[in-house]
Amino acid sequence: MRLRPVSRDPSWEDIRVFLGYLRAGSVANAAQDLKISGPTVSRRINSLQKAIGFPLLSRCNQGLELTPNAQNLVEIWQEAERLLSNAPDLATRMRDTQRIELRFSTTPALANALIFPNIESYMERWPNVMIDVDTSFRIVDIGSGQGDVALRFVEPERGAVVRQRVGSVSFNVYCAEGILPDGFEPVDAWQALSETGLRGITWTPGTSVSMPQQKLSEVLSARRTGLAISEYTGLVDAIQNGIGAGILPDIVGQRLPGVRALMTPGVVGTMPLWLVTADRLSSYRHITEFRDFIRKAIRKESASIMAARGDPT
Protein backbone atom coordinates (compact mmCIF):
# COMPACT_ATOMS: atom_id res chain seq x y z
CA MET A 1 0.00 0.00 0.00
CA ARG A 2 1.43 3.36 -1.05
CA LEU A 3 0.53 6.50 0.85
CA ARG A 4 1.29 10.10 0.05
CA PRO A 5 2.20 12.33 2.97
CA VAL A 6 -0.22 15.12 3.75
CA SER A 7 0.78 18.61 4.82
CA ARG A 8 0.39 18.16 8.58
CA ASP A 9 2.27 16.65 11.50
CA PRO A 10 1.07 13.37 12.99
CA SER A 11 -1.55 13.85 15.68
CA TRP A 12 -0.46 12.68 19.13
CA GLU A 13 -3.97 11.31 19.67
CA ASP A 14 -3.52 9.16 16.53
CA ILE A 15 -0.14 7.97 17.84
CA ARG A 16 -1.61 7.19 21.27
CA VAL A 17 -4.39 5.09 19.73
CA PHE A 18 -1.91 3.25 17.50
CA LEU A 19 0.30 2.38 20.48
CA GLY A 20 -2.79 1.19 22.32
CA TYR A 21 -3.63 -1.02 19.35
CA LEU A 22 -0.14 -2.56 19.42
CA ARG A 23 -0.46 -3.35 23.13
CA ALA A 24 -3.98 -4.76 22.80
CA GLY A 25 -3.26 -6.87 19.70
CA SER A 26 -6.55 -6.15 17.94
CA VAL A 27 -8.88 -3.31 17.05
CA ALA A 28 -11.63 -4.67 19.31
CA ASN A 29 -9.35 -4.99 22.34
CA ALA A 30 -7.83 -1.55 21.73
CA ALA A 31 -11.29 -0.01 21.51
CA GLN A 32 -12.21 -1.58 24.85
CA ASP A 33 -8.97 -0.47 26.56
CA LEU A 34 -9.16 3.08 25.20
CA LYS A 35 -12.93 3.34 25.70
CA ILE A 36 -13.59 4.35 22.11
CA SER A 37 -15.30 2.58 19.21
CA GLY A 38 -13.62 0.10 16.88
CA PRO A 39 -14.17 2.28 13.79
CA THR A 40 -12.50 5.17 15.65
CA VAL A 41 -9.42 3.00 16.28
CA SER A 42 -9.23 2.09 12.58
CA ARG A 43 -9.77 5.70 11.52
CA ARG A 44 -7.02 6.94 13.84
CA ILE A 45 -4.53 4.38 12.50
CA ASN A 46 -5.34 5.25 8.88
CA SER A 47 -5.02 8.97 9.69
CA LEU A 48 -1.59 8.37 11.21
CA GLN A 49 -0.38 6.41 8.18
CA LYS A 50 -1.53 9.18 5.86
CA ALA A 51 0.26 11.80 7.96
CA ILE A 52 3.64 10.01 7.92
CA GLY A 53 3.30 8.90 4.29
CA PHE A 54 3.97 5.16 4.53
CA PRO A 55 2.27 2.04 5.94
CA LEU A 56 2.82 1.13 9.57
CA LEU A 57 1.42 -2.39 9.28
CA SER A 58 1.76 -5.20 6.77
CA ARG A 59 0.04 -8.55 6.52
CA CYS A 60 1.81 -11.74 7.53
CA ASN A 61 0.83 -15.33 8.34
CA GLN A 62 -0.06 -14.32 11.90
CA GLY A 63 -2.15 -11.34 10.78
CA LEU A 64 -0.54 -7.87 10.86
CA GLU A 65 2.97 -6.83 11.83
CA LEU A 66 4.96 -3.62 11.93
CA THR A 67 6.68 -2.62 8.71
CA PRO A 68 10.47 -2.10 8.87
CA ASN A 69 10.00 1.67 8.53
CA ALA A 70 7.60 1.67 11.48
CA GLN A 71 9.96 -0.06 13.94
CA ASN A 72 12.10 2.98 14.74
CA LEU A 73 9.12 5.31 14.87
CA VAL A 74 7.30 3.08 17.33
CA GLU A 75 10.32 3.03 19.65
CA ILE A 76 10.42 6.85 19.60
CA TRP A 77 6.68 7.11 20.18
CA GLN A 78 6.79 4.64 23.07
CA GLU A 79 9.57 6.63 24.74
CA ALA A 80 7.58 9.85 24.26
CA GLU A 81 4.52 8.19 25.77
CA ARG A 82 6.56 7.08 28.78
CA LEU A 83 7.92 10.59 29.32
CA LEU A 84 4.47 12.14 29.02
CA SER A 85 2.99 9.65 31.48
CA ASN A 86 5.66 10.65 34.01
CA ALA A 87 5.25 14.39 33.41
CA PRO A 88 2.92 15.04 36.39
CA ASP A 89 5.34 13.32 38.79
CA LEU A 90 8.25 15.22 37.25
CA ALA A 91 6.42 18.53 37.65
CA THR A 92 5.68 17.70 41.28
CA ARG A 93 9.32 16.83 41.98
CA MET A 94 10.47 20.06 40.34
CA ARG A 95 7.93 22.05 42.34
CA ASP A 96 9.06 20.43 45.59
CA THR A 97 12.80 20.93 45.05
CA GLN A 98 13.14 24.37 43.48
CA ARG A 99 13.10 27.32 45.88
CA ILE A 100 10.68 30.05 44.75
CA GLU A 101 10.33 33.48 46.34
CA LEU A 102 6.90 35.07 46.58
CA ARG A 103 6.93 38.72 47.69
CA PHE A 104 3.61 39.61 49.28
CA SER A 105 2.59 42.93 50.82
CA THR A 106 -0.44 43.75 52.94
CA THR A 107 -1.41 45.58 56.13
CA PRO A 108 -0.75 44.17 59.62
CA ALA A 109 -4.50 43.84 60.23
CA LEU A 110 -5.09 41.82 57.07
CA ALA A 111 -1.99 39.70 57.65
CA ASN A 112 -3.03 38.83 61.22
CA ALA A 113 -6.72 38.29 60.53
CA LEU A 114 -6.76 36.77 57.04
CA ILE A 115 -3.37 35.48 55.95
CA PHE A 116 -1.61 33.95 58.95
CA PRO A 117 -4.61 31.98 60.34
CA ASN A 118 -5.23 30.33 56.95
CA ILE A 119 -1.88 30.06 55.19
CA GLU A 120 -0.82 26.63 56.47
CA SER A 121 -2.67 24.73 53.73
CA TYR A 122 -0.93 26.74 51.01
CA MET A 123 2.49 26.27 52.61
CA GLU A 124 1.94 22.52 52.86
CA ARG A 125 1.05 22.36 49.18
CA TRP A 126 3.98 24.59 48.15
CA PRO A 127 6.77 23.76 50.63
CA ASN A 128 9.41 25.24 48.33
CA VAL A 129 7.78 28.69 48.14
CA MET A 130 9.45 31.19 50.46
CA ILE A 131 6.84 33.87 51.22
CA ASP A 132 8.31 37.25 52.07
CA VAL A 133 5.49 39.16 53.82
CA ASP A 134 5.82 42.94 53.94
CA THR A 135 3.41 44.47 56.48
CA SER A 136 4.77 47.99 56.34
CA PHE A 137 2.43 50.76 55.27
CA ARG A 138 4.38 51.82 52.23
CA ILE A 139 2.58 51.27 48.94
CA VAL A 140 4.58 48.62 47.11
CA ASP A 141 4.61 49.25 43.35
CA ILE A 142 3.76 45.78 42.04
CA GLY A 143 3.83 46.88 38.40
CA SER A 144 7.44 48.07 38.58
CA GLY A 145 8.68 44.85 40.18
CA GLN A 146 8.85 45.88 43.86
CA GLY A 147 6.62 42.93 44.77
CA ASP A 148 4.64 40.03 43.32
CA VAL A 149 1.22 40.09 45.03
CA ALA A 150 -0.48 42.64 47.29
CA LEU A 151 -3.71 42.74 49.28
CA ARG A 152 -4.60 46.30 50.19
CA PHE A 153 -7.35 48.78 50.96
CA VAL A 154 -6.01 51.40 48.55
CA GLU A 155 -7.13 51.05 44.93
CA PRO A 156 -4.03 49.88 43.06
CA GLU A 157 -2.10 51.73 40.43
CA ARG A 158 -2.79 50.98 36.81
CA GLY A 159 -0.08 49.51 34.66
CA ALA A 160 1.45 46.07 34.31
CA VAL A 161 -0.74 44.54 37.02
CA VAL A 162 -3.83 42.36 37.33
CA ARG A 163 -6.31 44.13 39.62
CA GLN A 164 -9.30 42.49 41.26
CA ARG A 165 -11.66 43.72 43.94
CA VAL A 166 -12.06 40.66 46.16
CA GLY A 167 -14.40 41.90 48.87
CA SER A 168 -14.64 44.51 51.58
CA VAL A 169 -13.84 44.83 55.27
CA SER A 170 -16.22 46.41 57.78
CA PHE A 171 -15.02 48.50 60.73
CA ASN A 172 -16.32 49.34 64.18
CA VAL A 173 -15.28 51.11 67.36
CA TYR A 174 -13.99 48.69 70.00
CA CYS A 175 -12.99 48.88 73.64
CA ALA A 176 -12.40 46.55 76.59
CA GLU A 177 -15.63 45.38 78.24
CA GLY A 178 -14.33 46.31 81.68
CA ILE A 179 -14.38 50.07 81.02
CA LEU A 180 -17.89 50.23 79.56
CA PRO A 181 -20.76 51.71 81.58
CA ASP A 182 -23.14 49.14 83.07
CA GLY A 183 -25.88 48.09 80.69
CA PHE A 184 -24.19 49.60 77.64
CA GLU A 185 -25.71 48.70 74.27
CA PRO A 186 -24.21 49.50 70.85
CA VAL A 187 -25.21 52.93 69.55
CA ASP A 188 -26.16 53.97 66.04
CA ALA A 189 -24.84 57.56 66.09
CA TRP A 190 -21.35 58.96 66.60
CA GLN A 191 -22.47 61.61 69.08
CA ALA A 192 -23.88 58.97 71.40
CA LEU A 193 -20.34 57.71 72.00
CA SER A 194 -19.47 60.91 73.85
CA GLU A 195 -21.86 59.87 76.63
CA THR A 196 -19.65 56.89 77.45
CA GLY A 197 -16.83 59.10 78.74
CA LEU A 198 -14.26 56.88 77.01
CA ARG A 199 -10.88 58.08 75.80
CA GLY A 200 -10.42 57.99 72.05
CA ILE A 201 -7.44 56.12 70.60
CA THR A 202 -6.58 57.07 67.05
CA TRP A 203 -4.23 55.15 64.83
CA THR A 204 -2.17 57.39 62.57
CA PRO A 205 0.27 55.43 60.38
CA GLY A 206 2.37 58.00 58.54
CA THR A 207 0.59 61.34 58.32
CA SER A 208 -2.85 60.35 57.01
CA VAL A 209 -5.90 60.17 59.27
CA SER A 210 -9.07 58.57 57.92
CA MET A 211 -12.46 60.23 58.29
CA PRO A 212 -13.74 57.65 60.85
CA GLN A 213 -10.57 58.11 62.93
CA GLN A 214 -11.05 61.87 62.85
CA LYS A 215 -14.72 61.52 63.81
CA LEU A 216 -13.85 59.26 66.73
CA SER A 217 -11.31 61.79 67.98
CA GLU A 218 -13.83 64.63 67.73
CA VAL A 219 -16.66 62.96 69.66
CA LEU A 220 -14.51 61.48 72.44
CA SER A 221 -11.98 64.28 72.96
CA ALA A 222 -14.74 66.58 74.21
CA ARG A 223 -14.50 64.95 77.65
CA ARG A 224 -11.09 63.28 77.79
CA THR A 225 -7.71 63.77 76.17
CA GLY A 226 -7.18 61.27 73.39
CA LEU A 227 -4.24 59.09 72.48
CA ALA A 228 -2.61 58.83 69.04
CA ILE A 229 -0.66 55.68 68.16
CA SER A 230 1.40 55.12 65.03
CA GLU A 231 1.77 51.32 65.30
CA TYR A 232 -1.13 48.96 64.61
CA THR A 233 -0.07 46.51 67.33
CA GLY A 234 0.05 49.41 69.78
CA LEU A 235 -3.55 50.28 68.93
CA VAL A 236 -4.71 46.71 69.59
CA ASP A 237 -2.75 46.52 72.85
CA ALA A 238 -4.12 49.87 74.05
CA ILE A 239 -7.71 48.78 73.38
CA GLN A 240 -7.27 45.41 75.11
CA ASN A 241 -5.64 47.07 78.12
CA GLY A 242 -8.63 49.33 78.67
CA ILE A 243 -6.98 52.65 77.78
CA GLY A 244 -9.86 53.70 75.55
CA ALA A 245 -11.83 53.04 72.36
CA GLY A 246 -10.39 52.72 68.87
CA ILE A 247 -11.43 51.69 65.38
CA LEU A 248 -10.57 48.18 64.22
CA PRO A 249 -11.59 45.97 61.31
CA ASP A 250 -14.34 43.60 62.43
CA ILE A 251 -12.19 40.66 61.33
CA VAL A 252 -9.81 41.74 64.12
CA GLY A 253 -12.10 43.20 66.78
CA GLN A 254 -14.61 40.35 66.77
CA ARG A 255 -11.83 37.92 67.72
CA LEU A 256 -10.23 39.86 70.55
CA PRO A 257 -11.15 38.38 73.94
CA GLY A 258 -12.78 40.77 76.39
CA VAL A 259 -13.43 43.42 73.72
CA ARG A 260 -16.80 44.72 72.48
CA ALA A 261 -18.07 46.68 69.49
CA LEU A 262 -19.61 50.02 70.48
CA MET A 263 -21.64 50.86 67.37
CA THR A 264 -24.26 49.04 65.36
CA PRO A 265 -22.94 47.37 62.17
CA GLY A 266 -22.58 49.68 59.18
CA VAL A 267 -22.21 53.00 61.02
CA VAL A 268 -18.42 53.23 60.87
CA GLY A 269 -18.29 51.95 57.30
CA THR A 270 -16.40 49.54 55.06
CA MET A 271 -13.35 49.61 52.83
CA PRO A 272 -12.82 47.61 49.62
CA LEU A 273 -10.14 44.95 49.38
CA TRP A 274 -7.96 44.89 46.27
CA LEU A 275 -5.86 41.95 45.17
CA VAL A 276 -3.00 43.03 42.90
CA THR A 277 -0.66 40.74 40.97
CA ALA A 278 2.26 41.51 38.70
CA ASP A 279 1.02 40.84 35.18
CA ARG A 280 4.21 39.00 34.25
CA LEU A 281 3.53 36.43 37.02
CA SER A 282 -0.25 36.12 36.83
CA SER A 283 -0.23 32.77 34.99
CA TYR A 284 2.35 31.07 37.23
CA ARG A 285 0.74 28.22 39.11
CA HIS A 286 2.11 29.06 42.57
CA ILE A 287 0.83 32.62 42.08
CA THR A 288 -2.65 31.63 40.89
CA GLU A 289 -3.01 29.23 43.82
CA PHE A 290 -1.84 31.92 46.24
CA ARG A 291 -4.50 34.26 44.85
CA ASP A 292 -7.10 31.49 45.23
CA PHE A 293 -5.98 30.96 48.82
CA ILE A 294 -6.48 34.67 49.60
CA ARG A 295 -9.97 34.72 48.06
CA LYS A 296 -10.98 31.63 50.05
CA ALA A 297 -9.60 33.14 53.26
CA ILE A 298 -11.63 36.32 52.70
CA ARG A 299 -14.83 34.34 52.11
CA LYS A 300 -14.20 32.19 55.17
CA GLU A 301 -13.47 35.06 57.54
CA SER A 302 -16.33 37.19 56.17
CA ALA A 303 -18.77 34.34 56.73
CA SER A 304 -17.44 33.92 60.26
CA ILE A 305 -18.01 37.62 61.05
CA MET A 306 -21.54 37.50 59.65
CA ALA A 307 -22.33 34.44 61.74
CA ALA A 308 -20.93 36.07 64.89
CA ARG A 309 -23.13 39.14 64.33
CA GLY A 310 -26.16 37.05 63.45
CA ASP A 311 -26.37 38.50 59.94
CA PRO A 312 -28.37 36.48 57.37
CA THR A 313 -26.16 34.60 54.90
Side-chain angles (χ1 to χ4, degrees), residues 41-223:
V41 173
S42 299
R43 178 174 58 80
R44 289 285 187 181
I45 294 174
N46 288 333
S47 174
L48 179 59
Q49 292 182 121
K50 290 179 181 178
I52 62 176
F54 56 80
L56 293 168
L57 300 167
S58 62
R59 294 198 174 275
C60 64
N61 293 335
Q62 289 75 31
L64 293 173
E65 64 179 5
L66 287 173
T67 63
N69 288 337
Q71 294 284 351
N72 290 336
L73 275 180
V74 168
E75 290 179 6
I76 294 171
W77 291 340
Q78 288 173 334
E79 178 64 13
E81 185 181 47
R82 184 187 67 79
L83 291 173
L84 286 172
S85 67
N86 291 331
D89 291 338
L90 178 60
T92 299
R93 290 198 300 272
M94 291 176 64
R95 185 192 70 192
D96 292 343
T97 56
Q98 292 182 342
R99 178 62 62 90
I100 304 171
E101 182 185 26
L102 194 162
R103 297 170 299 166
F104 174 63
S105 67
T106 190
T107 69
L110 295 177
N112 291 329
L114 290 175
I115 305 303
F116 297 150
N118 298 290
I119 201 170
E120 183 63 27
S121 60
Y122 178 85
M123 296 181 71
E124 287 181 354
R125 177 162 174 77
W126 291 92
N128 62 315
V129 173
M130 174 63 69
I131 305 174
D132 181 359
V133 182
D134 180 356
T135 57
S136 65
F137 284 95
R138 68 188 184 95
I139 300 298
V140 175
D141 189 347
I142 300 296
S144 68
Q146 293 180 2
D148 303 326
V149 182
L151 181 66
R152 58 177 63 154
F153 293 118
V154 179
E155 185 172 358
E157 71 281 356
R158 298 185 182 275
V161 297
V162 177
R163 307 154 16 115
Q164 182 185 18
R165 182 170 174 173
V166 289
S168 60
V169 171
S170 58
F171 290 76
N172 208 320
V173 181
Y174 288 88
C175 77
E177 291 180 329
I179 64 173
L180 282 172
D182 292 339
F184 176 83
E185 293 294 333
V187 299
D188 58 6
W190 283 100
Q191 198 57 41
L193 282 182
S194 64
E195 303 302 321
T196 64
L198 296 172
R199 176 182 287 110
I201 308 173
T202 55
W203 174 38
T204 57
T207 58
S208 63
V209 179
S210 68
M211 289 301 293
Q213 298 275 3
Q214 186 175 359
K215 190 69 176 178
L216 178 70
S217 178
E218 289 174 359
V219 298
L220 293 184
S221 63
R223 295 197 176 190

Side-chain angles (χ1 to χ4, degrees), residues 226-281:
L227 180 68
I229 297 179
S230 61
E231 292 290 334
Y232 168 77
T233 54
L235 171 67
V236 175
D237 289 342
I239 291 172
Q240 286 189 293
N241 282 284
I243 295 176
I247 295 176
L248 293 174
D250 284 326
I251 55 176
V252 175
Q254 292 283 350
R255 287 166 172 73
L256 293 178
V259 169
R260 280 189 59 188
L262 305 187
M263 307 193 77
T264 54
V267 175
V268 178
T270 63
M271 292 187 70
L273 280 178
W274 293 92
L275 184 58
V276 191
T277 309
D279 185 58
R280 68 188 186 283
L281 302 174

